[in-house]
Amino acid sequence: MTGLDASFLYLETPEQMMVINGLVHLDVTTVEEGYSFERLRSGLARRVKAVPPFRRKVHDSPWNPGHPAWVEDFDFDITHHLRRIELGPAGTEDELLETCGRLASTPLDRAHPLWQIWILERGDPHAPTVSAFCRVHHSVIDGMLGAELLSALAATDATTPDQDPALARTHVGRANTLQLIAGGARDVLGRPLALLRLLPETLSVPAAMRRARGRAGHGESMPAPFTAPRTLFNHSLTPHRAVATVSLDLASVKLVTARLGGTVNDVLLTVVGGAVRSYLEAHGDSPTSSMVAIVPMSTRDDLATGGANQVSAMFASLATDVADPVERYERISAAAETTKRQAASIRPALLDNWARMGPRRLLDMGMRAYEALRLADVHPVIYNLIVSNVPGPRHALYFLGARITHMHPFGPLLHGAGLSVTSLSTDGRLDLGVISCEHLVPDPDAVARGITAALDELLELTAS
């Protein structure tokens, strides 16, 4: 296991679950032989055999000085991972989202492979409306890999895809504690030399970012961490989560970029900023300075660590101190090139290299102390919220014969930032998932509605 993958295990606490969730709506009328939960479970059991990451579990030892390892779960049981909840004939969308919030509030069992799928049925029992709430630990996937694994489980038509026998035969073997300890010891012995290489490069990062800012020539510099204003959702988390969903027409989003320039990501940051600004104004908590989002960036094309997580991040201003949506968009778009250049000036593997160096026991105990002392309420705010945009498949997908109509992703929350918005582009739309700490933002649906309203306003103002 790489240091970056393992760090998501160390960061996890009872109130900070490092799980990526997703709500997938299914049209089961496309299933040729008809839908049944039992048939779906049998089909998934066959498909998972060709997805090695879903058959592996964490192996560790108190004597291991290094990071844990992935081992094959030869006692894999699909009934532990695929479960059903029947919401009944009167089940509503609100009940569905409330159920998803409760499921997102529970940790995954590390004694098994770190994923689950909950099938949620509502309406007519003989022809139910079916959704799947998928949960995968962040140590297993990042956003890009999650989309790839979903594609591996799905197909481009309603037929059952052929199983790849080579993937089905791929496994990493049984747990070997002596081998684990020896590998951990080798890793620790190599850290001093690695530290000598990392320190000069890390100390040179500020100068590299200044040079990148100079080459960009215009636009605001990337916001610095610990400079974000404190808002009502920038406090310590509780274990309880609430979720909401919204879908945006991708053609409408691209219409804004055609009129104003910029990118789809610029539109996303603008409408999320507008929605959060409106939400805080309604609660009398609108900050005078701009809020700051952290935006994950895939390094999958630049980095080959062999780990599941190949990701970096950049800080981005949401320009929430600007009332006019068009002016806010132009400011975000102008800063984007500078911010990307500054983020690109940092070697993609640097974060992963430092994660490998992390003393695991210290990180684990430090995170628990940080949570117990509620330090996120004390130190300056690092960032206000997470905004992530994940490219998905451009065509329709079928999950075990059922057409996927919507896929709404939800990223994990970290102490100090109780709100996250994740977007997945697929089949001509952006499917967004809004997840919050229920005690900080009990009504994420208000933020979701605000996103739609912000896009409508942007379209109206740029129509002339």
Side-chain angles (χ1 to χ4, degrees):
M1 188 181 299
T2 68
L4 189 55
D5 292 346
S7 68
F8 291 105
L9 295 174
Y10 310 149
L11 285 171
E12 189 165 63
T13 67
E15 296 178 357
Q16 182 173 274
M17 288 150 287
M18 303 306 296
V19 178
I20 296 175
N21 301 288
L23 178 59
V24 180
H25 294 301
L26 303 172
D27 176 7
V28 296
T29 63
T30 62
V31 180
E32 183 176 351
E33 60 272 24
Y35 166 78
S36 77
F37 173 74
E38 291 74 18
R39 190 177 292 117
L40 185 146
R41 182 171 58 194
S42 297
L44 184 62
R46 290 192 301 271
R47 293 297 299 142
V48 163
K49 292 178 182 178
V51 186
F54 283 3
R55 306 192 315 260
R56 298 169 183 170
K57 62 182 180 179
V58 177
H59 174 52
D60 203 3
S61 165
W63 302 102
N64 174 28
H67 300 303
W70 294 115
V71 296
E72 197 77 14
D73 184 5
F74 288 107
D75 298 318
F76 180 85
D77 183 357
I78 192 64
T79 61
H80 177 81
H81 299 275
L82 183 68
R83 299 181 180 180
R84 173 169 56 172
I85 296 176
E86 297 173 285
L87 298 177
T92 64
E93 182 78 12
D94 287 343
E95 287 179 282
L96 175 72
L97 294 174
E98 184 180 344
T99 301
C100 292
R102 288 200 305 271
L103 294 173
S105 304
T106 58
L108 293 171
D109 186 353
R110 295 191 185 183
H112 302 277
L114 294 175
W115 66 274
Q116 279 187 335
I117 297 177
W118 292 82
I119 299 299
L120 308 173
E121 299 175 354
R122 55 196 171 103
D124 184 352
H126 301 292
T129 299
V130 180
S131 301
F133 190 66
C134 308
R135 313 192 66 221
V136 187
H137 200 277
H138 211 322
S139 61
V140 179
I141 61 169
D142 58 15
M144 287 290 291
L145 185 58
E148 292 174 11
L149 289 179
L150 178 62
S151 297
L153 286 173
T156 56
D157 56 41
T159 61
T160 301
D162 294 331
Q163 187 177 85
D164 187 338
L167 288 174
R169 287 192 295 267
T170 300
H171 66 82
V172 290
R174 294 186 181 274
N176 186 319
T177 302
L178 288 178
Q179 191 177 48
L180 176 74
I181 295 172
R186 284 196 303 271
D187 181 58
V188 170
L189 290 173
R191 289 181 185 179
L193 183 59
L195 180 63
L196 290 176
R197 290 197 301 264
L198 283 177
L199 274 178
E201 180 182 5
T202 304
L203 293 174
S204 69
V205 165
M209 294 183 71
R210 284 195 298 270
R211 288 194 297 271
R213 169 71 177 86
R215 287 193 297 270
H218 68 283
E220 294 182 16
S221 183
M222 184 192 298
F226 296 102
T227 61
R230 188 173 296 279
T231 71
L232 57 82
F233 51 77
N234 294 124
H235 294 279
S236 296
L237 303 174
T238 71
H240 304 291
R241 301 290 179 264
V243 301
T245 61
V246 62
S247 292
L248 303 178
D249 178 46
L250 186 57
S252 297
V253 172
K254 290 184 175 179
L255 186 58
V256 174
T257 65
R259 291 170 177 174
L260 297 177
T263 65
V264 169
N265 205 55
D266 296 338
V267 179
L268 181 63
L269 291 174
T270 301
V271 297
V272 170
V276 174
R277 173 189 165 95
S278 298
Y279 181 85
L280 292 176
E281 284 179 341
H283 289 78
D285 189 41
S286 182
T288 55
S289 60
S290 173
M291 282 182 276
V292 176
I294 190 166
V295 182
M297 304 186 326
S298 174
T299 59
R300 200 159 291 277
D301 293 334
D302 307 310
L303 187 62
T305 63
N309 286 272
Q310 297 182 29
V311 65
S312 184
M314 67 180 185
F315 292 88
S317 169
L318 294 178
T320 49
D321 53 334
V322 178
D324 180 73
V326 175
E327 185 181 343
R328 186 185 313 126
Y329 179 85
E330 290 173 343
R331 186 165 138 190
I332 288 173
S333 182
E337 183 61 28
T338 302
T339 301
K340 289 175 183 175
R341 282 179 177 267
Q342 289 182 308
S345 67
I346 303 172
R347 183 169 58 90
L350 188 61
L351 178 61
D352 183 78
N353 293 161
W354 274 111
R356 178 194 168 196
M357 300 287 297
R360 51 174 299 176
R361 301 286 189 281
L362 186 61
L363 287 173
D364 187 63
M365 291 187 295
M367 193 66 245
R368 293 181 181 277
Y370 180 88
E371 179 175 278
L373 296 172
R374 303 183 69 82
L375 294 181
D377 298 335
V378 179
H379 64 67
V381 177
I382 304 173
Y383 60 90
N384 296 109
L385 69 158
I386 302 170
V387 181
S388 181
N389 185 19
V390 180
R394 298 183 179 181
H395 45 72
L397 286 179
Y398 292 78
F399 180 68
L400 301 173
R403 186 179 187 274
I404 296 174
T405 59
H406 289 279
M407 295 186 288
H408 299 278
F410 307 96
L413 299 177
L414 298 174
H415 280 296
L419 181 66
S420 174
V421 180
T422 306
S423 167
L424 180 73
S425 58
T426 178
D427 202 16
R429 65 182 181 275
L430 295 180
D431 285 341
L432 277 67
V434 183
I435 186 168
S436 66
C437 171
E438 191 176 34
H439 288 85
L440 299 178
V441 183
D443 50 351
D445 56 305
V447 177
R449 291 194 301 272
I451 291 172
T452 300
L455 178 59
D456 290 342
E457 185 179 20
L458 202 54
L459 285 166
E460 182 180 350
L461 290 173
T462 59
S464 55

